[in-house]
């Protein structure tokens, strides 16, 4: 699945959620989609969560 197709699918899901349930439900679905993507990338080994948390806490290391 390429990025264009994935973006279109995400947009369609969010649009249908907004139409069916309203803005707050759409934002909640979007939040859960982001959380799922982060967990998926972490499990694939393409995202270092420790580095992300360190960046949020202000620790700046290059290692």
């Amino acid at each position: 699945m390429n990025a264009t197709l994935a973006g279109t699918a995400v947009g369609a899901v969010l649009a249908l959620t907004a139409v069916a349930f309203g803005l707050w439900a759409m934002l909640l679905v979007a939040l859960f989609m982001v959380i799922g993507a982060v967990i998926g990338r972490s499990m694939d080994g393409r995202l270092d969560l420790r580095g992300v948390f360190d960046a949020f806490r202000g620790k700046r290391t290059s290692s």
Side-chain angles (χ1 to χ4, degrees):
M1 179 183 290
N2 64 21
T4 303
L5 185 59
T8 303
V10 168
V13 167
L14 292 177
L16 289 173
T17 304
V19 168
F21 302 110
L23 175 68
W24 293 111
M26 181 203 65
L27 293 176
L28 185 63
V29 168
L31 175 68
F32 285 140
M33 291 172 90
V34 168
I35 291 170
V38 167
I39 291 171
R41 288 184 70 88
S42 176
M43 291 179 75
D44 283 345
R46 294 189 286 169
L47 179 65
D48 178 26
L49 287 178
R50 181 168 289 147
V52 171
F53 290 135
D54 286 344
F56 279 125
R57 286 187 293 196
K59 293 183 180 179
R60 296 183 184 183
T61 61
S62 60
S63 58

